[in-house]
Amino acid sequence: MPVNRNALIRYRTIDSCLQNRQKKWSLEDLIDACSDALYEYQGIDTGVSRRTVQADIEMMRSNKLGYEAPIVVTDKKYYTYSDKKYSITNIPINQQDMQVLSEVATLLKQFKGFSHFTDLNEMVSKLEDKIYTQKTSSPPVIDFEKNDNLKGLEWIETIRNAIVAKKTMFITYQSFKAREASTFCFSGYLLKEYRNRWFLLGRSHQRNASLLNLALDRIQAIEMHSDDYRENTEIDLATYYSDVIGVTKSPGQRDCEVVFWIDEANAPYIITKPIHPTQKLLSNEVDGKIFSIRVIHNFELERELLGFGPKIKVLGPRLLRKVIKEQLRKALAFYE
């Protein structure tokens, strides 16, 4: 049952009052305490009505929130807990809550590399310990996609901080094609994830250097440098990747309309999970459907289309169709 923040503040306030047995709490006292708490935490100065607090007490007594608070009235006037040790903060976690907490703990552990989540490690460990001690062993119901051997995640927070602070980085980098590593000053603009790999978009400080995409798993070292940070004045980072599949793109590169046919058996998969947000259904054929997307021609687009094998036929543009045909011819040659 959803509960708003104001109600939670009132429940916690009433609970705190009733735990304090040095004072006798009348309904008016509880009303004043709740009003003070709402003013302190929410800035609400209209006060709390008598009816609201009475409803709160009944809600706490009920099982709707799992409290079942033992609230009793003494001397026909004063409210207290019949159990001196009771508090709504001490109630055991039910099975449904345990399942949710378990899945949240698993989710938090996916975000490796960011100090925000690193700071949560202790909290997650405590949460997992609490879960372990209160639930019976059972198989997981959610399996997140992850790669525990992924390299480069250790650079994410360093890079993020440098981008936010507009600091120049001195990066040692070796691409898969390079025989040895090189070092250069670099102004970073955007961290981008694609298929469990992370990339850094920015600009090298070498003369006339264009925008570069650096794979974090190819970075060997990063240090801060005193060279002036070079601001991004060319591109809109919010939309830079909107016309691309993956991360490979050059400034000024034009997109094109890619038209393709998908067989009838696999068309539903394309409809429910579009290859790109620009995807459109152009026509229904006897043996399949024809779609279009508007993207830049790059390596990732080719790989995406080739992944469908014989289930897809690229109809245009002519250059892309030629490239896909040649790639399939080379692939077939391996089996001949």
Side-chain angles (χ1 to χ4, degrees):
M1 178 178 181
V3 180
N4 63 41
R5 180 176 174 82
N6 291 348
L8 286 175
I9 291 173
R10 296 196 305 270
Y11 298 154
R12 289 297 184 98
T13 301
I14 294 172
D15 177 65
S16 178
C17 291
L18 299 187
Q19 286 184 76
N20 179 8
R21 307 181 77 87
Q22 301 300 315
K23 177 180 177 179
K24 292 184 177 182
W25 296 93
S26 67
L27 183 60
E28 287 70 23
D29 293 329
L30 296 177
I31 293 171
D32 290 341
C34 288
S35 298
D36 292 342
L38 286 176
Y39 178 74
E40 178 180 355
Y41 294 111
Q42 297 288 81
I44 299 174
D45 58 1
T46 56
V48 179
S49 70
R50 182 185 186 90
R51 184 175 180 179
T52 296
V53 174
Q54 288 176 325
D56 290 341
I57 291 172
E58 291 307 309
M59 180 64 73
M60 293 172 66
R61 281 171 170 163
S62 74
N63 190 37
K64 292 181 179 179
L65 299 177
Y67 293 158
E68 294 184 290
I71 301 175
V72 296
V73 180
T74 62
D75 299 332
K76 298 182 180 181
K77 183 177 182 181
Y78 301 110
Y79 291 81
T80 188
Y81 285 143
S82 60
D83 181 354
K84 296 181 180 181
K85 296 181 180 180
Y86 179 86
S87 170
I88 61 173
T89 60
N90 294 333
I91 62 173
I93 302 174
N94 62 39
Q95 191 62 33
Q96 181 179 359
D97 291 338
M98 291 302 303
Q99 184 65 38
V100 172
L101 289 174
S102 179
E103 292 170 5
V104 168
T106 302
L107 176 61
L108 287 174
K109 286 163 53 177
Q110 310 306 310
F111 295 91
K112 299 176 181 177
F114 289 98
S115 67
H116 302 76
F117 296 100
T118 301
D119 294 340
L120 293 173
N121 281 346
E122 183 179 356
M123 185 192 75
V124 172
S125 296
K126 291 179 179 178
L127 179 59
E128 287 181 320
D129 181 64
K130 181 73 171 178
I131 293 168
Y132 179 79
T133 58
Q134 293 202 29
K135 77 172 185 179
T136 57
S137 58
S138 58
V141 296
I142 298 179
D143 186 14
F144 293 95
E145 182 178 343
K146 56 186 178 294
N147 185 350
D148 293 330
N149 297 318
L150 191 63
K151 297 180 180 179
L153 295 179
E154 66 273 19
W155 303 122
I156 290 180
E157 188 62 21
T158 299
I159 294 171
R160 190 195 71 85
N161 288 335
I163 294 174
V164 172
K166 296 185 177 181
K167 297 291 186 181
T168 294
M169 292 173 279
F170 191 61
I171 296 179
T172 302
Y173 187 83
Q174 184 176 4
S175 69
F176 287 120
K177 296 179 181 179
R179 293 184 178 181
E180 57 184 26
S182 60
T183 56
F184 47 87
C185 288
F186 193 86
S187 292
Y189 304 142
L190 181 70
L191 278 164
K192 168 74 173 177
E193 184 188 20
Y194 178 66
R195 290 189 171 178
N196 278 334
R197 290 188 74 200
W198 283 88
F199 300 84
L200 169 61
L201 177 68
R203 187 180 300 282
S204 170
H205 289 201
Q206 295 176 353
R207 182 176 296 180
N208 299 324
S210 59
L211 285 172
L212 291 179
N213 238 325
L214 305 181
L216 266 61
D217 55 19
R218 306 308 302 160
I219 294 177
Q220 297 181 2
I222 298 179
E223 297 178 1
M224 294 300 109
H225 197 277
S226 59
D227 206 13
D228 290 339
Y229 179 85
R230 300 189 179 181
E231 296 273 3
N232 164 42
T233 58
E234 295 182 27
I235 62 173
D236 181 358
L237 295 174
T239 61
Y240 184 69
Y241 287 108
S242 62
D243 57 358
V244 66
I245 292 175
V247 297
T248 306
K249 179 182 180 180
S250 301
Q253 190 175 2
R254 300 283 299 273
D255 59 20
C256 60
E257 184 180 38
V258 177
V259 181
F260 55 91
W261 167 89
I262 293 283
D263 66 25
E264 192 64 37
N266 289 276
Y269 297 98
I270 298 296
I271 293 173
T272 55
K273 187 183 178 183
I275 294 177
H276 190 263
T278 59
Q279 180 174 298
K280 296 178 181 179
L281 173 62
L282 298 183
S283 65
N284 294 299
E285 306 296 314
V286 175
D287 55 350
K289 299 181 186 298
I290 296 178
F291 297 88
S292 73
I293 56 175
R294 191 156 198 92
V295 293
I296 283 171
H297 182 174
N298 62 4
F299 166 75
E300 291 95 329
L301 170 64
E302 294 176 12
R303 186 171 61 179
E304 183 75 24
L305 297 174
L306 286 166
F308 288 96
K311 306 173 183 67
I312 192 172
K313 179 168 65 175
V314 176
L315 304 177
R318 183 184 305 173
L319 176 60
L320 177 60
R321 178 183 171 89
K322 181 180 179 180
V323 170
I324 296 296
K325 183 178 180 180
E326 180 62 18
Q327 294 280 21
L328 291 172
R329 186 191 64 78
K330 290 181 179 179
L332 182 60
F334 285 122
Y335 297 91
E336 293 179 344

